[in-house]
Amino acid sequence: AVMWRAVTTAASARARALCRAPPPPLPPRRRAVSVAVSPAAGMADERVETRVAGLGPGQPVTLRALAADERGCLFQSCAHYRADGRGELHLGTDASHGGDYTGVEPMGLFWSLAPAGMERPYQRLVPRSTGTPMKVEMLVHQGHSLSSAIPGPVVAKAEVERWFTAPGVRRIRLKEGGVRGSLFLPPGDGPFPGVIDMYGDEGGLIEFRSSLLATHGFAALSLPYFDFEDLPKVMKEFKLEYFEEAARFLQRHPKVKGPGVGVIGTGKGAELALSMITFLPEVVAAVCISGCSSNTVADLHYGEMTLPGLRFDMNKVSVSDAGVFDTFEALDDPTNPANSPCAIPIEKAEGHFLLVVGEDDRMWKSSLYAELAIERLRQHGKENFELLSYPGAGHRIDPPSTPFCQVAVDRVLGVPVLGGGESKAHAHAQEHSWRKIQEFLHLHLG
């Protein structure tokens, strides 16, 4: 009995000791996967920081971006990444290994957005309204999957808002005499440097570049010149007096600094910008993106003067097997002496030019046209120009992170037209030129 008591006492002591001992450690729990985009709401021309945490070391993931335009058309992009040794990813320093782009591209998911597989191809993601943000959903999927394939399970997601108008920017719709459009004014009393903003042969009112310029301190007038309200429906002929009225309105506006105003244009808008700085003393600085140094398509009248327009020869348009139109060779040759009356006499301009071209522009020969403009200025002893020429960039060089669109449906012709360019080179051209454009306008407009 004594022996039994000793055994049970020892056993109970051991049990009590076990109860006091700490429990064996549990296997470490992995953190939940998270994706953070900073700022979550910011300006559309600003970079964002995208970071993923909580992955396994070296874990392969696909990052996807999804956005819809105002009509509900879905756009998407994707890229393949591997987590570092800590199970983290930073798009500012880590390279994509595949998908829609490769290499270190902090904004790659934004500029590579393209119509999703179920949508009509060749659509452009351009904001129609500047008062609401473009919402982009960022998704992290397990494994590597192509944009055309069903992606792996979603392990994390976040939403980003890309705004085109900063708080305090005012938008004023214009019906001033014959002038139509929208005036964007920065917050504050001013006065601000004034800029007229025009796009190309798609017509209508395109405001997003003007609203971004206002965010950067410019009083920006988004100026349509056909196919808007009571303006002419088609590009048949233009009167420079319309553009003169717009320049005088902006120059005399109490919020505009003066004495002169600037103009920025793309395509046909760039060519009109050249005519404005040549003939209108109010215009002292012109940014010409992918323009022609001769007047094209529609005759331009100013008082008794007429600049005839170079014509497009539709027999010189080639069409690929996929039905994409290539207009590169179609415009009449401006170097042909018979076409010399179409040349814009830019040597008469007192102001300054910034010529911006993509060397892979397939819409027309904008690199050649810039060379012709520079040659003409130099022949007259002028050095009042700068040239930004970008290898691999296409026709429409917009503000940063605007999705690249190599082929887009032409609004007038209704067919897909080749704009040219390669996505990464074009995206870099957009980012670099936007900074240089603002520097140029500030320099010459104060």
Side-chain angles (χ1 to χ4, degrees):
V2 174
M3 190 174 173
W4 168 247
R5 272 200 307 276
V7 169
T8 53
T9 304
S12 60
R14 272 201 309 275
R16 282 196 301 275
L18 280 171
C19 287
R20 284 195 302 270
L26 294 169
R29 281 184 63 192
R30 188 186 292 169
R31 289 178 296 160
V33 180
S34 64
V35 56
V37 185
S38 175
M43 296 309 300
D45 59 348
E46 284 180 3
R47 277 192 178 195
V48 297
E49 294 253 324
T50 305
R51 295 176 184 270
V52 182
L55 299 168
Q59 183 179 342
V61 288
T62 298
L63 265 66
R64 268 172 89 225
L66 291 172
D69 67 9
E70 282 94 333
R71 297 161 302 170
C73 173
L74 188 67
F75 291 76
Q76 67 173 15
S77 59
C78 77
H80 300 161
Y81 289 91
R82 283 190 184 276
D84 65 15
R86 297 190 306 272
E88 295 177 357
L89 265 180
H90 178 209
L91 269 57
T93 53
D94 294 324
S96 163
H97 305 291
D100 293 326
Y101 62 89
T102 57
V104 178
E105 293 294 334
M107 299 302 293
L109 288 168
F110 293 87
W111 53 248
S112 60
L113 283 163
M118 77 286 277
E119 302 289 357
R120 284 187 303 115
Y122 312 137
Q123 294 186 78
R124 200 187 282 285
L125 181 54
V126 173
R128 308 273 167 216
S129 157
T130 57
T132 53
M134 184 172 82
K135 293 184 178 177
V136 183
E137 191 170 29
M138 306 287 269
L139 303 160
V140 183
H141 296 268
Q142 283 182 20
H144 288 163
S145 52
L146 296 172
S147 52
S148 55
I150 296 171
V154 175
V155 292
K157 62 181 176 180
E159 190 176 77
V160 191
E161 289 186 353
R162 307 284 283 164
W163 286 87
F164 293 89
T165 306
V169 168
R170 283 198 301 146
R171 172 181 178 266
I172 301 157
R173 280 300 302 276
L174 281 193
K175 232 177 182 171
E176 193 73 30
V179 178
R180 303 291 173 263
S182 297
L183 177 63
F184 291 86
L185 293 174
D189 296 333
F192 309 103
V195 181
I196 292 170
D197 177 25
M198 300 180 295
Y199 269 92
D201 60 5
E202 61 268 60
L205 178 65
I206 301 173
E207 299 177 310
F208 75 101
R209 186 165 62 193
S210 301
S211 62
L212 288 172
L213 283 168
T215 298
H216 291 283
F218 296 94
L221 169 56
S222 182
L223 186 69
Y225 48 93
F226 77 103
D227 197 19
F228 181 73
E229 294 184 356
D230 54 356
L231 295 175
K233 276 280 161 238
V234 292
M235 286 200 303
K236 197 170 182 187
E237 58 181 359
F238 291 121
K239 288 185 164 59
L240 197 63
E241 282 82 357
Y242 172 76
F243 303 91
E244 182 175 51
E245 193 181 344
R248 286 180 176 170
F249 163 79
L250 189 62
Q251 183 197 34
R252 292 169 184 169
H253 194 282
K255 293 266 189 182
V256 172
K257 192 180 275 186
V261 298
V263 59
I264 178 171
T266 298
K268 178 69 184 176
E271 168 200 314
L272 286 164
L274 289 177
S275 291
M276 288 170 75
I277 193 171
T278 296
F279 296 110
L280 308 180
E282 295 84 1
V283 178
V284 299
V287 179
C288 305
I289 302 169
S290 308
C292 184
S293 46
S294 291
N295 188 52
T296 68
V297 183
D299 293 354
L300 180 69
H301 306 285
Y302 185 46
E304 299 295 304
M305 182 211 73
T306 296
L307 281 183
L310 290 177
R311 303 298 174 191
F312 275 96
D313 182 350
M314 295 311 285
N315 294 320
K316 292 182 179 171
V317 174
S318 61
V319 186
S320 73
D321 294 342
V324 174
F325 284 58
D326 185 341
T327 59
F328 188 67
E329 297 288 350
L331 188 67
D332 284 350
D333 180 5
T335 64
N336 182 335
N339 293 323
S340 60
C342 304
I344 303 165
I346 54 174
E347 68 278 1
K348 294 181 178 177
E350 294 298 322
H352 289 81
F353 300 89
L354 178 62
L355 307 171
V356 183
V357 295
E359 293 175 18
D360 195 29
D361 184 352
R362 294 294 304 177
M363 194 77 74
W364 60 11
K365 302 175 182 179
S366 56
S367 282
L368 169 67
Y369 305 149
E371 283 173 27
L372 293 175
I374 289 168
E375 192 180 307
R376 186 173 186 119
L377 290 169
R378 283 193 166 142
Q379 278 173 353
H380 291 83
K382 298 233 169 179
E383 291 289 333
N384 54 341
F385 63 86
E386 289 177 61
L387 172 67
L388 297 176
S389 185
Y390 295 102
H395 180 71
R396 192 164 148 164
I397 298 172
D398 273 327
S401 304
T402 302
F404 170 69
C405 198
Q406 189 183 52
V407 176
V409 173
D410 185 275
R411 211 175 65 83
V412 179
L413 300 174
V415 298
V417 175
L418 182 62
E422 179 274 317
S423 59
K424 190 188 292 194
H426 191 90
H428 292 177
Q430 290 192 149
E431 189 159 342
H432 183 265
S433 63
W434 185 235
R435 192 173 68 250
K436 301 299 279 186
I437 286 166
Q438 291 172 61
E439 287 172 6
F440 170 83
L441 290 171
H442 275 302
L443 176 66
H444 296 294
L445 303 177

